[in-house]
Amino acid sequence: MAERALSNREKNLLWLCLGVLVLMASAVLGNVFLGKRKVVLERLTSLQQQKEANEQWLNDRAYWDKHSDWLEKHMPTTESLSRSQAKLLEELQAGADAREIRLENPELIPAVTTADYREVAVSMRLSGEQTILLQWLTTLQSPETFQVIKVLDFEIDTRSKEPKPQGRCNLTVARWFKTETGT
């Protein structure tokens, strides 16, 4: 078979096909590049924000060192989380009884140990005169005793027949202790 030369029209079509292939390959590669560029820019932004946050922590280091030292000196220790939890419940019951607040359904929450603290918690339902109940609740949370109110759901008892307004609340109080390593 004899080979024949391509006509001008065939050459132009061949160049046009090659141009379209190069254009499509460039579009695909450009799309891949832009996608990777977007991911890299997002990562760069994230790292810059992390760097700024880390610099802020470093700038505040003296402040946090002071607090860490205070925690080390003042955070209580315990040898028995269960005894500490029972003591917390007893203290709460005594405080409620002294104010004639009814304490119902006390529940011991499983103790939690983290790298920074160990926690015991007690959950209960309280009811009593609204003013007295609120006054007592304000005494519970204390940084000095490492005691914190974790859950407080307070409502006015609208069905009560008492002459003074009554309140009810669900309450969870926790107390924190040093970890066993004392950190």
Side-chain angles (χ1 to χ4, degrees), residues 18-38:
L18 288 175
V20 168
L21 287 174
V22 168
L23 182 65
M24 292 305 293
S26 297
V28 168
L29 290 174
N31 193 24
V32 168
F33 170 77
L34 290 176
K36 288 187 178 190
R37 182 178 184 268
K38 180 181 174 186

Side-chain angles (χ1 to χ4, degrees), residues 56-117:
Q56 185 63 38
W57 281 107
L58 284 173
N59 292 337
D60 293 344
R61 182 181 180 131
Y63 174 82
W64 290 112
D65 284 345
K66 178 180 162 185
H67 287 297
S68 178
D69 292 343
W70 184 87
L71 284 172
E72 187 62 35
K73 290 176 187 169
H74 294 93
M75 186 178 259
T77 59
T78 183
E79 292 186 16
S80 171
L81 289 175
S82 58
R83 278 194 298 255
S84 296
Q85 191 171 39
K87 182 180 177 189
L88 175 61
L89 178 57
E90 286 173 13
E91 290 173 8
L92 293 172
Q93 284 176 326
D97 290 345
R99 292 165 179 83
E100 297 179 1
I101 297 170
R102 290 176 301 285
L103 189 145
E104 305 163 3
N105 304 327
E107 180 184 342
L108 302 176
I109 307 295
V112 174
T113 299
T114 71
D116 300 314
Y117 63 91

Side-chain angles (χ1 to χ4, degrees), residues 81 85 109-114 117-121 148 150 174-177:
L81 289 175
Q85 191 171 39
I109 307 295
V112 174
T113 299
T114 71
Y117 63 91
R118 299 187 317 164
E119 173 186 281
V120 295
V148 62
K150 293 189 76 168
R175 189 170 286 162
W176 295 332
F177 298 94

